[in-house]
Amino acid sequence: MGQLNNFSSIDSNVIKIAAEQFGTPFYLYDENTIVNKCKSLFAMPNAYGITVRYAMKANSTKALLAIIHNQGLKIDASSMNEVRRAHIAGISYEDIILTTQEVPLNREMQALKDMISQGLKYNVCSLQQLYNIGDFAGNINVALAIRIHPGVGSGESATRNTGDKYSCFGIHLSDIEQALVYAKSKSIIFDHVHIHIGSGAAPDIWQNNIDLEMSIIEKYFPDAQVVSFGGGLREARMSNENPADINELGCYAKEKIEQFYQRTSRKLGMEIEPGNYVVANAGYVITSVIDKKKTGNYGLNFLVLDGGMELNARPLLYASQHPFYVISKNGDLLSSEFDEVTTNKFQAVLVGRCCESGDSQCLNAEGLNTPRKVAEPEIGDYIAIGGTGAYCSTMSPMNYNSHVQASEILFTSDHKLIEIRSKQTLEQLIENEV
Ligand SMILES: *Cc1c(COP(=O)(O)O)cnc(C)c1O
């Protein structure tokens, strides 16, 4: 038995028991970590109240939504179907905001109107979205949220930067006046102003964004009651990474919101909508070593796992690094990413079982395999890939090579293992084919 790291209540023995019970590969989530993360967000300094929304695209499994919502978080949905899934999980429309690239038409537009009538907050993200909802919102007198494209952004990689001119999220600064003229003609007000600049944004850019957004509200949005700074709070997966200092960001935001009050006599509520930060480090992909290969004397050691890109595509998409934990068949922790003293480390590339050279957990930014230090496992030992609670189960090319979607297991706060989504069957994989 061995502790994986200093934040998880899952240890190597829990992984062994889960693997024997459910069969690898699967996702394993730690309820304690999720709950602690949620609590830490509410402890963030703020001026006149804070609303924390969970960006559910990070992980949308019903049981996790329920845990997070029970902690008092509301929901940020990125599609109509996400709104539906949150609602099916027992979350009322009043607790959901829809921030989407979708432009609902026809029946979907009718569905959207029904949801708005029942309390869904609609965050318009383009002029077209605004024009499509304008008559309805004006007629029933419901205030809208507006997502602003600030013209600057930040993210851990170019593909996760949503604020600069190379991305198209939100109504660009240069279109705000046009949006306001239209809104006025329909008697629509914007009571909620939102900017999300990207995932894993650098703290200084987050602070610049706060300044920028406050000035935009002061200049254009006299009816705003809520300022949303979006998500993108950086989380650290590897020991050499640094998480966002939410205390520092909170202090900064608090000061700016208080100064805004001094200038304008308006008290703005503050909103944040993290996804990654809430669930990333609560999740593990649990795999078994199914093969070992070498590419010659000057080549590399490969460990072939029974789950790879179809469970975690982040190395392929972003060259992101995840912590590895090697666990023997009988539950001993042979090596942990966070344990520098472990001896007997050898260098290996961890790959999945797909016929695809990108199916690797060890890719660098050029797409090349770079070996990592781990204890040498035997075939049948387990490897847990950490930091996989966010953007893995929701975002992976799950049926590639006809591998079925993996199950999801929760390690509860009272130390039970429960299956919160069962493994897809082969019949389900092909059921819609004719
Ligand atoms: C994805 C997204 C988030 C969450 O981003 P994280 O990096 O997971 O915190 C928040 N808000 C919006 C609008 C998003 O699209």
Side-chain angles (χ1 to χ4, degrees):
M1 190 169 112
Q3 214 54 44
L4 302 188
N5 50 48
N6 61 13
F7 53 81
S8 179
S9 47
I10 291 174
D11 62 28
S12 59
N13 199 47
V14 169
I15 290 175
K16 174 208 145 196
I17 293 168
E20 286 175 351
Q21 189 177 345
F22 300 102
T24 58
F26 57 91
Y27 297 94
L28 179 61
Y29 303 118
D30 182 30
E31 182 174 8
N32 258 337
T33 302
I34 297 175
V35 169
N36 291 338
K37 280 291 179 178
C38 293
K39 288 193 179 2
S40 74
L41 288 161
F42 283 110
M44 212 168 153
N46 63 81
Y48 311 112
I50 183 168
T51 300
V52 185
R53 288 184 189 275
Y54 170 58
M56 67 178 279
K57 72 179 191 288
N59 191 319
S60 335
T61 304
K62 188 161 71 175
L64 301 190
L65 294 181
I67 291 169
I68 292 165
H69 187 246
N70 277 339
Q71 290 301 312
L73 282 79
K74 298 184 177 186
I75 295 291
D76 172 59
S78 62
S79 69
M80 295 282 288
N81 272 354
E82 280 197 353
V83 175
R84 294 181 173 109
R85 284 178 80 175
H87 195 245
I88 290 167
I91 299 169
S92 69
Y93 291 117
E94 276 121 26
D95 280 357
I96 308 172
I97 191 168
L98 173 60
T99 305
T100 183
Q101 287 280 87
E102 282 179 326
V103 181
L105 294 172
N106 306 324
R107 279 162 71 171
E108 281 298 88
M109 178 45 98
Q110 190 50 52
L112 174 63
K113 289 175 180 171
D114 292 345
M115 291 169 180
I116 292 174
S117 304
Q118 293 174 72
L120 174 75
K121 189 82 190 171
Y122 188 38
N123 188 12
V124 292
C125 295
S126 72
L127 289 174
Q128 189 61 49
Q129 289 184 8
L130 174 62
Y131 300 154
N132 290 358
I133 203 70
D135 284 327
F136 175 78
N139 285 342
I140 69 164
N141 208 10
V142 42
L144 296 174
I146 183 167
R147 178 174 185 174
I148 304 296
H149 183 314
V152 290
S154 175
E156 274 170 306
S157 64
T159 48
R160 280 172 294 171
N161 180 337
T162 64
D164 73 11
K165 69 173 181 181
Y166 299 104
S167 74
C168 68
F169 298 94
I171 295 179
H172 194 267
L173 266 181
S174 57
D175 286 335
I176 290 182
E177 279 173 17
Q178 204 174 325
L180 289 174
V181 168
Y182 175 82
K184 195 167 179 208
S185 75
K186 301 285 173 186
S187 324
I188 298 167
I189 63 162
F190 298 109
D191 63 350
H192 185 127
V193 177
H194 170 275
I195 294 183
H196 169 70
I197 52 170
S199 279
D204 55 326
I205 309 272
W206 233 82
Q207 294 185 346
N208 292 347
N209 176 49
I210 291 173
D211 292 345
L212 183 63
E213 195 168 352
M214 299 307 291
S215 68
I216 290 172
I217 292 180
E218 195 166 344
K219 182 161 178 204
Y220 295 109
F221 295 100
D223 301 310
Q225 292 171 14
V226 173
V227 51
S228 172
F229 299 124
L233 294 172
R234 185 173 281 188
E235 179 56 300
R237 293 178 174 80
M238 301 289 284
S239 56
N240 61 352
E241 295 171 354
N242 291 315
D245 184 338
I246 57 172
N247 189 57
E248 193 184 317
L249 290 174
C251 286
Y252 192 82
K254 176 178 194 288
E255 189 188 318
K256 297 296 160 175
I257 292 174
E258 283 168 354
Q259 289 169 356
F260 183 89
Y261 171 65
Q262 280 150 21
R263 290 197 305 275
T264 64
S265 306
R266 293 165 59 197
K267 288 186 178 175
L268 295 179
M270 159 174 158
E271 251 186 55
I272 52 168
E273 40 183 42
N276 207 34
Y277 195 82
V278 180
V279 287
N281 278 336
Y284 300 82
V285 166
I286 311 297
T287 66
S288 298
V289 179
I290 53 173
D291 210 345
K292 292 164 73 166
K293 303 188 187 190
K294 271 185 94 165
T295 46
N297 284 343
Y298 302 101
L300 305 176
N301 292 308
F302 286 87
L303 298 172
V304 185
L305 312 178
D306 61 358
M309 65 183 282
E310 81 282 19
L311 282 93
N312 177 22
R314 298 185 75 259
L316 180 58
L317 284 170
Y318 313 126
S320 53
Q321 302 224 317
H322 288 259
F324 300 139
Y325 307 92
V326 182
I327 296 147
S328 72
K329 283 184 249 338
N330 52 23
D332 292 328
L333 183 64
L334 302 181
S335 73
S336 159
E337 199 71 50
F338 297 93
D339 175 9
E340 301 296 337
V341 295
T342 314
T343 50
N344 185 32
K345 286 200 170 176
F346 94 128
Q347 307 249 342
V349 171
L350 279 62
V351 299
R353 60 194 161 156
C354 292
C355 290
E356 175 70 35
S357 52
D359 185 8
S360 167
Q361 298 293 310
C362 300
L363 295 168
N364 66 15
E366 282 79 51
L368 291 175
N369 277 322
T370 33
R372 296 258 302 269
K373 274 186 177 177
V374 286
E376 183 168 0
E378 291 172 17
I379 287 177
D381 287 347
Y382 306 115
I383 291 188
I385 303 167
T388 47
Y391 304 107
C392 289
S393 142
T394 47
M395 207 185 184
S396 297
M398 63 180 185
N399 288 145
Y400 188 45
N401 280 215
S402 294
H403 295 307
V404 295
Q405 185 183 38
S407 57
E408 294 185 295
I409 313 298
L410 180 70
F411 187 58
T412 63
S413 298
D414 53 357
H415 293 194
K416 292 195 183 76
L417 285 163
I418 53 172
E419 192 175 51
I420 57 172
R421 186 186 71 195
S422 56
K423 186 164 118 179
Q424 189 184 32
T425 62
L426 181 61
E427 291 69 35
Q428 287 172 331
L429 190 154
I430 56 175
E431 72 188 347
N432 295 328
E433 297 174 7
V434 290

